[in-house]
Amino acid sequence: KLQLQQAIAKAIEEKISGDQRRYLLNEQLKAIKKELGLETDDKTALSEKFRERIEAKKDKCPPHVLQVIEEELTKLQLLEASSSEFNVTRNYLDWLTVLPWGNYSNENFDVHHAQQILDEDHYGLSDVKERILEFIAVGKLRGTSQGKIICLSGPPGVGKTSIGRSIARALNRQFYRFSVGGLADVAEIKGHRRTYVGAMPGKMVQCLKSVGTANPLVLIDEIDKLGRGHSGDPASALLELLDPEQNINFLDHYLDVPIDLSKVLFVCTANVIDTIPNPLLDRMEIISIAGYITDEKMHIARDYLEKNTREACGIKPEQVEVTDAALLALIENYCREAGVRNLQKQIEKIYRKIALQLVRQGVSNEPALEAVIVTPSVEPTDGGSATIVKDEKLNDPAVKDPEEAKEPSLKETLVTEPALSTDTLSTPEGNKDTDGVKEEAADKAVKKVLIDSSNLDDFVGKPVFHAERIYEQTPVGVVMGLAWTSMGGSTLYIETTKVEEGEGKGALVMTGQLGDVMKESAQIAHTVSRAILRDKEPDNKFFADSKLHLHVPAGATPKDGPSAGCTMITSMLSLAMGKPARKDLAMTGEVTLTGRILPIGGVKEKAIAARRSSIKTIIFPAANKRDFDELADNVKEGLEVHFVDTYSEIYKLAFQNETETS
């Protein structure tokens, strides 16, 4: 037992002495290298690195930041490299010295160049482009530009996020994007305090480090979907960031020194502005993007989506043709959304099927050089002959894929010369066979795929949408209204019919998943209709003695809002007087008990919906005249619009004009 203890003690002593000896020698080696100038210690190397970084920015760096950096560098020298405080200070200095203090990119003040870039990337969006050109013009006159806070609001897929990148390119600014959708932690914006383990600065400081300039374009996505967690309210934290008066001295919790963000151009995106807190909304300049009409979607599909999708699928322009009729049918029957994201998906679907179709025909767009197989020059064997026969069979136009006959609508043959796959043999027989393959392949005709409205269903399936217009001439008791939806605008019918008649049985039943506001509108419409009928036809007791049923199809779609008031009145009066409303007429407007017409929202969307349903005459509230006048000419073209203040004007347009024409 004693011997064992001695052996263990001896082994431990040898190990300890060996470790001590190694440590001592390493320390002596470091000291010798330091004396010779071959190596510096970690702290000295770090200090030099930080000083080199800040030396280049010393003239532009604010004095208070230089003072903090000097204090932290002094503190770094006093700390032991093994202490936790050393790593905190090192990371802090790393962030302080890497930021682009006073470093600004040279901006583009050429309005024509900016207009060209914006038009290259996006079709339409004239409001957004005009605002950016104004920003550039002001910067040119002042000689310098200031930051702004712009919010683009509109339905999904209209190009809010992608226009941000184009704006940065037009202004020659660096671009940085981050999304705040579902963000619930204030530290993501304001940073963590350095006392926490793993503390980091907020997104804005990370942005400045990433782009390397102090005047980038920062796109804050989905600002209407901010969350609220246990660690604070991010919407309130954004108030400082997005206030031109406050962000000149933006204070990040991690850096703890003021940062000048007054030169940063903030572009925010939102689907709806109702969910954005009012104090935050007040700091932003709202630009509404209503969506694209059919003509604009046609241009976008032709000039942007189709071209990009074709290149992405590796298909050449001469191999496929999509007609205008097919694109129009695709937009009207499959992609009625305000945006073009779904349209892009459908075009990609078409081109994927075309790619499969071309591959099944044996078409290859690879370069001919890659397709040539070079074999060693040896005497041909049975295996070599078999290979030649196989290649001949592959290139023989007479041998067709059985699936080829099933492919939809293959028309318009174009003669092209596909890449040839040949075996190079040194024998005369091999050369002869190869030449035969080339001749046959040269005569082979590659079929061009034609997509027309007749065969569109084969590529994208059955139509999703059908004609909103049910009646060519609306019958008695039915009037067309205009509605705003998240997908843009749409037309809807208000239908009223008589359920039963008897003295004193006047009542109103409503169906069609109507919200509370819309039910109240129906009650107001019923009251106003009775007053108007009493004035126009005093002897008509229809409303007093009839139980009415008002329905708004489709029954499965929830509906709400006050703008169907005047449509409901017209529908009830049409039934009461037995007169159909004027043909090709649609209307929208909130009505009061005294018959006044109040303004509504979604003017552009509703005008687009009317055009889509081939409506020629629209009735809008007079207060919305300016909204309509500001619309593009291609939206207003072909529409006869009447602006009214009272329902009596609608009555004349809906019934008296119809009587005169009939």
Side-chain angles (χ1 to χ4, degrees), residues 373-380 423-427:
I373 304 169
V374 180
T375 56
S377 179
V378 294
E379 291 296 318
D423 280 359
T424 305
L425 296 177
S426 58
T427 61

Side-chain angles (χ1 to χ4, degrees), residues 117-310:
I117 290 174
L118 293 171
D119 289 340
E120 274 177 17
D121 296 343
H122 291 82
Y123 183 84
L125 302 181
S126 55
D127 292 348
V128 185
K129 293 176 181 177
E130 190 72 18
R131 182 64 189 86
I132 297 307
L133 295 177
E134 289 169 6
F135 177 81
I136 294 173
V138 170
K140 182 168 186 175
L141 293 176
R142 290 187 64 212
T144 179
S145 63
Q146 291 295 316
K148 283 289 176 187
I149 296 96
I150 297 170
C151 180
L152 307 177
S153 71
V158 295
K160 298 184 298 295
T161 303
S162 59
I163 192 71
R165 196 179 298 274
S166 296
I167 293 170
R169 196 159 72 89
L171 294 172
N172 194 32
R173 289 192 177 208
Q174 295 295 319
F175 179 78
Y176 187 85
R177 173 195 167 272
F178 68 93
S179 176
V180 293
L183 187 72
D185 189 2
V186 173
E188 286 288 326
I189 295 159
K190 297 278 286 180
H192 302 87
R193 301 195 181 278
R194 294 197 303 280
T195 51
Y196 297 117
V197 177
M200 285 186 68
K203 282 288 183 187
M204 271 315 301
V205 177
Q206 294 177 35
C207 157
L208 295 178
K209 178 187 176 182
S210 174
V211 299
T213 60
N215 63 335
L217 185 146
V218 178
L219 184 79
I220 303 177
D221 241 339
E222 314 294 357
I223 201 166
D224 58 326
K225 300 175 184 66
L226 278 167
R228 185 166 189 170
H230 63 278
S231 55
D233 181 13
S236 301
L238 280 172
L239 293 177
E240 181 188 1
L241 181 65
L242 298 180
D243 190 337
E245 297 298 322
Q246 295 181 44
N247 65 16
I248 193 168
N249 289 313
F250 178 73
L251 194 65
D252 186 88
H253 288 159
Y254 182 88
L255 289 186
D256 210 26
V257 292
I259 306 170
D260 182 8
L261 299 179
S262 61
K263 304 283 188 188
V264 177
L265 175 59
F266 291 98
V267 178
C268 308
T269 70
N271 293 128
V272 287
I273 59 173
D274 302 338
T275 55
I276 303 174
N278 282 333
L280 185 58
L281 193 64
D282 185 55
R283 285 161 164 77
M284 299 187 289
E285 182 181 342
I286 308 296
I287 300 177
S288 296
I289 304 174
Y292 300 107
I293 62 172
T294 303
D295 297 342
E296 291 173 333
K297 283 187 178 180
M298 284 287 287
H299 278 286
I300 292 166
R302 275 280 181 236
D303 300 338
Y304 302 92
L305 304 181
E306 191 186 2
K307 180 182 174 185
N308 294 340
T309 306
R310 188 170 59 233

Side-chain angles (χ1 to χ4, degrees), residues 383-653:
S385 301
T387 305
I388 296 170
V389 172
K390 183 181 178 183
D391 285 339
E392 286 178 356
K393 186 177 180 181
L394 285 174
N395 287 284
D396 189 354
V399 180
K400 295 186 178 178
D401 194 317
E403 293 292 325
E404 194 175 315
K406 300 177 184 178
E407 296 300 333
S409 186
L410 300 177
K411 303 175 183 178
E412 290 196 42
T413 59
L414 289 180
V415 179
T416 62
E417 188 172 343
L420 299 177
S421 176
T422 61
D423 280 359
T424 305
L425 296 177
S426 58
T427 61
E429 292 80 8
N431 292 333
K432 183 178 178 182
D433 289 340
T434 304
D435 292 338
V437 171
K438 287 182 179 179
E439 287 172 9
E440 289 177 358
D443 294 335
K444 180 179 177 179
V446 176
K447 293 183 178 179
K448 181 176 185 178
V449 183
L450 179 71
I451 313 295
D452 203 350
S453 54
S454 58
N455 68 332
L456 185 65
D457 296 2
D458 299 330
F459 291 88
V460 289
K462 293 181 180 178
V464 179
F465 299 99
H466 300 281
E468 291 177 355
R469 189 162 180 176
I470 306 171
Y471 308 102
E472 189 62 33
Q473 165 66 57
T474 51
V476 171
V478 180
V479 179
M480 182 183 282
L482 298 170
W484 180 91
T485 68
S486 59
M487 294 172 65
S490 67
T491 54
L492 53 81
Y493 287 96
I494 307 288
E495 301 178 339
T496 310
T497 187
K498 183 168 65 176
V499 179
E500 59 178 319
E501 190 173 5
E503 189 173 349
K505 286 196 173 184
L508 178 65
V509 179
M510 293 163 283
T511 56
Q513 276 215 56
L514 308 184
D516 292 338
V517 177
M518 204 162 183
K519 285 178 181 176
E520 290 177 0
S521 288
Q523 293 289 354
I524 293 168
H526 192 227
T527 304
V528 175
S529 300
R530 296 180 73 155
I532 292 172
L533 189 66
R534 196 182 307 118
D535 180 51
K536 301 291 180 185
E537 300 179 12
D539 298 332
N540 193 333
K541 306 293 182 186
F542 179 83
F543 287 112
D545 300 338
S546 302
K547 183 179 181 181
L548 304 181
H549 182 177
L550 184 144
H551 177 64
V552 186
T557 308
K559 307 165 197 74
D560 204 2
S563 64
C566 63
T567 318
M568 290 174 173
I569 296 175
T570 310
S571 174
M572 292 176 189
L573 287 175
S574 170
L575 184 67
M577 297 186 299
K579 292 180 185 176
R582 178 179 173 179
K583 187 180 179 183
D584 294 335
L585 175 71
M587 62 186 72
T588 179
E590 181 181 353
V591 72
T592 68
L593 276 172
T594 56
R596 302 288 296 180
I597 306 298
L598 301 183
I600 44 86
V603 172
K604 180 178 179 181
E605 291 88 343
K606 291 176 179 180
I608 291 170
R611 278 175 58 88
R612 190 168 58 231
S613 295
S614 302
I615 295 299
K616 295 181 175 61
T617 309
I618 308 178
I619 297 175
F620 277 134
N624 290 111
K625 187 175 189 308
R626 184 176 177 184
D627 298 329
F628 185 82
D629 290 341
E630 290 175 352
L631 298 181
D633 291 338
N634 57 356
V635 178
K636 298 186 285 186
E637 187 181 356
L639 292 176
E640 179 189 338
V641 184
H642 299 272
F643 299 97
V644 298
D645 278 315
T646 60
Y647 186 78
S648 58
E649 298 173 60
I650 298 178
Y651 181 86
K652 292 176 184 175
L653 290 166

